[in-house]
Amino acid sequence: MALFNKAFARLLNAALSILGSLVLVFFIIYMMPGDPVLSMLDPSTATPEAIENMRIQLGLDRPFYAQFADYFTNMVQGDFGQSLITSEPVLDKILLHLPATLALTLASVIFSIVIGVAFGVLSAVYRNRWLDSAVRIIGLFGISMPTFWSGILLILIFSVQLNWLPVMGSDSLAALVLPSLALGFVGAGFIIRMVRSSMVEVLDEQFILTLRAKGLSERLIMYRHALRNALIPAVTVIGLHIGELLAGTVVIETVFSRQGIGRIVADAIMSKDMPVIQGVIFFSAIVYVIINLLVDLSYSVIDPRIRKSAGTR
Amino acid sequence: MKDITSERSAVRLPKWRGTKIKGGLSASNLSVLIAGFVLVFITVCAIVPSWIAPYAPTFMFSDEILVAPSLAHLFGTDYFGRDVFSLVVHGSRDSMIIGVSAVLIGAVAGGGIGALAGYIGGIIDAIFMRVIEILMTIPGVLLALAIAAALGPSLKNIVLAIAISSIPGYARIMRGQMISIKKRPYVAASRSIGASNARILFWHILPNAWSPILVMATIGLGSAILTGAGLSFLGLGVIKEVPDWGALLSQGRNYLTAGWWMATFPGLAITAFVLSINIAGDKVQDFANPKTSKGR
């Protein structure tokens, strides 16, 4: 019951955060310079009356709070408005391109977790030896390379030079490899560093010495006992990093000319297509909040102590 | 605790502990040395680019268009016949301005908000922190993207966008510091002798609270430069005669098959810069937090 209450409180908090972020995004877009009506109607041919009518029709003549109330009422009913450029409903547009972006995000998360945890553990186990140094350098590169550059390098090597993988497109599995490597490398870098430092800390604990004294195999000590204790900070990093991943898709989808919601928002920013920008950013804020909620709740799965103290906290 | 460790060293060390690198020029010291050199070099490039760059960045070698790297053109030439090395050297200024000013603004504003919230507490604290929490629900890069798009493309707006999106991190850290430090006895002591709030805040608390902000700012500098380059890569910067590294890379992206060097070298510059900052940041962190330092 305590766990349920805690989850409920978190959920309420998350909903409030999402609502707040909606207001914030709406406000940012509201401040955007440039008249969207002028990008829809050609000012050289349209009469001032036509422009004014269009503005009234879109509700842009009304004050901020009224516009927000309208948007919010519609949104709750699943209507995110229409693209100012193509007149497509925003929600349809997002849902149409969501699978490609989800596939990309998922592939890079898996890549970064597998590489990050494996290398992080190796690095901690062989700490201060050459393997550790090598892995730490890889991790540093991961967090220091711009994704658009690693993406371009991958294209240059594997598509232009070796001709192994397609440069662009989003339909085949092969086209997913390079973008998810480029995107996942950043996450791998963060996770390597986090897992290494928390593993190093855990390996110095007394209970590891006890386990060794008891004659447990190194492998069992590392994976069953040490890694499990080192995982919480790593999971936090992964959760926070998902947000960066979502944003990273904007750049990566542009580099690889993939279809996806990142690409949609990049195009929408260029054409000042406000409802689309709003929709996508709001959408990713929801995803981000939900993922971090899951991360929060997963602590109690990873660490029984948190589960037990749930009632007292 | 001490006894146990000394006893532990008496027994044979388990083999995973390995040998610790001590004295001499270790791998880690060497990397710090190289990073320092790169940072100094790029700073010189940003301040006086004409000392380093062999040619004017805007000069077009009309008979040397898209020439591969050679001794005359270290990084090759682009589709206008401009020398890519000179472009990269001159582009360092904007990239550095973006990173440094975004971090300064973000750290001062975020630190200020956090300090006030933490020091005053109560309703002000609750309101500030709620706003900060909301800012945090939007991933930093996406928030910067939205702000940069809302403000319109310019260098100043990129800086503002990155600075605003970094405020929550600084504010939270500073608030935490404040809350823990304001309860210390020396703060109560100075209050009891009649020190004003401003004096306590600036004279007694802040000097003891700023080191985590410094650590965060060094790490933040790297990511600010990356985000800035990313925004500019997406076309949110200004189109100028001398583009920054992100814009240079974006131009080179259209010529991948014709000239790999156009996109490769600006990216290399970004990576070298950010890598050096991160290496330096790790050092600063070790220094500020000796618990996680060297031996570990």
Side-chain angles (χ1 to χ4, degrees):
Chain A
M1 202 55 207
L3 188 66
F4 177 78
N5 277 342
K6 195 177 151 201
F8 184 74
R10 285 274 161 81
L11 211 60
L12 197 70
N13 203 16
L16 273 179
S17 298
I18 290 177
L19 183 66
S21 70
L22 183 62
V23 178
L24 183 74
V25 172
F26 200 86
F27 181 68
I28 291 174
I29 307 277
Y30 182 78
M31 299 214 316
M32 209 153 150
D35 192 336
V37 176
L38 293 186
S39 63
M40 297 166 71
L41 297 173
D42 185 356
S44 57
T45 53
T47 60
E49 292 82 48
I51 292 177
E52 201 45 46
N53 280 338
M54 187 70 154
R55 191 168 286 143
I56 292 170
Q57 196 190 328
L58 291 170
L60 295 175
D61 58 326
R62 305 174 58 207
F64 174 74
Y65 61 87
Q67 286 189 35
F68 180 76
D70 279 357
Y71 182 74
F72 188 72
T73 331
N74 290 335
M75 194 208 65
V76 175
Q77 296 161 3
D79 177 8
F80 282 68
Q82 304 178 339
S83 159
L84 295 180
I85 308 297
T86 59
S87 310
E88 270 175 282
V90 172
L91 190 63
D92 291 1
K93 208 172 161 129
I94 293 178
L95 292 180
L96 178 68
H97 291 103
L98 189 63
T101 300
L102 276 187
L104 173 62
T105 316
L106 197 68
S108 18
V109 169
I110 293 173
F111 172 73
S112 51
I113 292 179
V114 170
I115 297 291
V117 172
F119 278 30
V121 170
L122 270 183
S123 188
V125 171
Y126 292 95
R127 118 170 87 153
N128 291 337
R129 293 207 266 177
W130 69 266
L131 188 65
D132 180 27
S133 306
V135 171
R136 291 178 85 174
I137 288 171
I138 294 175
L140 266 173
F141 264 96
I143 64 166
S144 305
M145 273 165 83
T147 48
F148 43 94
W149 189 56
S150 41
I152 283 174
L153 284 189
L154 289 171
I155 292 178
L156 277 172
I157 297 169
F158 292 101
S159 304
V160 177
Q161 290 296 319
L162 301 172
N163 213 2
W164 284 355
L165 291 159
V167 179
M168 38 199 63
S170 38
D171 23 342
S172 68
L173 212 56
L176 193 61
V177 177
L178 295 185
S180 44
L181 283 184
L183 201 50
F185 191 38
V186 188
F190 278 107
I191 297 173
I192 286 176
R193 288 161 65 86
M194 201 68 232
V195 169
R196 180 190 182 275
S197 73
S198 48
M199 271 295 272
V200 161
E201 215 149 287
V202 170
L203 287 178
D204 269 355
E205 298 268 349
Q206 300 290 317
F207 73 87
I208 298 287
L209 197 66
T210 314
L211 292 173
R212 279 220 176 81
K214 167 176 125 165
L216 226 56
S217 77
E218 277 295 303
R219 179 184 297 257
L220 213 59
I221 295 178
M222 288 307 152
Y223 289 96
R224 162 87 47 92
H225 297 278
L227 181 60
R228 193 157 175 185
N229 275 286
L231 219 50
I232 286 208
V235 170
T236 310
V237 170
I238 294 169
L240 288 175
H241 186 70
I242 300 254
E244 301 304 312
L245 263 183
L246 283 172
T249 58
V250 179
V251 170
I252 280 295
E253 284 173 358
T254 307
V255 169
F256 287 90
S257 307
R258 280 174 64 86
Q259 285 304 315
I261 48 175
R263 184 81 181 288
I264 292 180
V265 80
D267 291 346
I269 284 171
M270 290 303 142
S271 53
K272 297 204 186 309
D273 196 345
M274 298 187 294
V276 175
I277 306 177
Q278 243 158 25
V280 173
I281 295 185
F282 177 51
F283 205 81
S284 39
I286 296 181
V287 173
Y288 190 52
V289 169
I290 291 177
I291 286 172
N292 279 296
L293 193 67
L294 291 178
V295 166
D296 257 12
L297 296 177
S298 79
Y299 292 157
S300 56
V301 177
I302 301 170
D303 191 340
R305 283 169 303 188
I306 295 179
R307 191 161 52 224
K308 288 206 182 98
S309 68
T312 55
R313 290 179 119 201
Chain B
M1 194 61 204
K2 264 215 171 105
D3 293 338
I4 295 169
T5 27
S6 60
E7 228 174 72
R8 205 199 270 172
S9 57
V11 296
R12 192 172 58 87
L13 283 174
K15 71 168 187 284
W16 56 268
R17 286 188 76 95
T19 43
K20 282 183 183 162
I21 306 164
K22 267 190 192 145
L25 198 60
S26 68
S28 131
N29 285 341
L30 184 68
S31 67
V32 173
L33 201 69
I34 297 174
F37 177 76
V38 171
L39 287 180
V40 169
F41 182 73
I42 293 178
T43 311
V44 172
C45 285
I47 298 171
V48 275
S50 48
W51 286 8
I52 313 280
Y55 312 102
T58 48
F59 185 79
M60 301 176 195
F61 295 85
S62 46
D63 50 345
E64 288 176 296
I65 284 171
L66 283 172
V67 173
S70 64
L71 273 182
H73 299 288
L74 279 180
F75 292 176
T77 61
D78 71 357
Y79 51 94
F80 290 133
R82 296 179 298 182
D83 181 56
V84 176
F85 181 66
S86 305
L87 280 170
V88 170
V89 169
H90 279 266
S92 62
R93 180 174 288 175
D94 276 359
S95 300
M96 191 173 257
I97 288 177
I98 293 175
V100 172
S101 36
V103 165
L104 278 181
I105 298 174
V108 170
I113 292 173
L116 277 183
Y119 189 71
I120 299 172
I123 289 185
I124 304 255
D125 184 30
I127 294 173
F128 274 17
M129 283 303 121
R130 177 49 76 175
V131 173
I132 293 292
E133 214 166 283
I134 287 167
L135 270 174
M136 286 190 103
T137 52
I138 306 176
V141 182
L142 215 55
L143 183 62
L145 198 70
I147 297 172
L151 297 174
S154 84
L155 187 77
K156 195 181 79 198
N157 292 343
I158 285 193
V159 169
L160 269 182
I162 300 172
I164 294 174
S165 68
S166 70
I167 284 178
Y170 294 112
R172 279 166 70 111
I173 287 211
M174 196 51 161
R175 173 177 176 268
Q177 286 287 98
M178 272 298 152
I179 289 178
S180 100
I181 293 177
K182 78 174 177 188
K183 289 184 194 132
R184 301 218 177 136
Y186 63 78
V187 174
S190 68
R191 178 160 292 131
S192 73
I193 58 169
S196 69
N197 271 331
R199 185 177 169 88
I200 293 174
L201 191 58
F202 289 104
W203 201 255
H204 298 293
I205 300 186
L206 278 182
N208 289 297
W210 65 282
S211 84
I213 293 270
L214 179 73
V215 170
M216 199 170 167
T218 33
I219 298 165
L221 183 58
S223 67
I225 286 167
L226 282 183
T227 312
L231 293 181
S232 156
F233 176 81
L234 286 172
L236 288 166
V238 260
I239 297 137
K240 294 192 300 190
E241 275 188 322
V242 183
D244 71 288
W245 290 339
L248 261 182
L249 224 169
S250 155
Q251 290 171 9
R253 185 189 154 238
N254 302 323
Y255 296 85
L256 283 189
T257 41
W260 54 269
W261 51 90
M262 279 180 60
T264 306
F265 290 112
L268 191 65
I270 301 175
T271 307
F273 193 23
V274 177
L275 192 66
S276 307
I277 291 170
N278 284 332
I279 291 174
D282 279 0
K283 264 284 167 241
V284 173
Q285 196 161 19
D286 284 353
F287 190 71
N289 186 6
K291 218 183 112 194
T292 57
S293 160
K294 280 201 184 146
R296 299 186 150 254

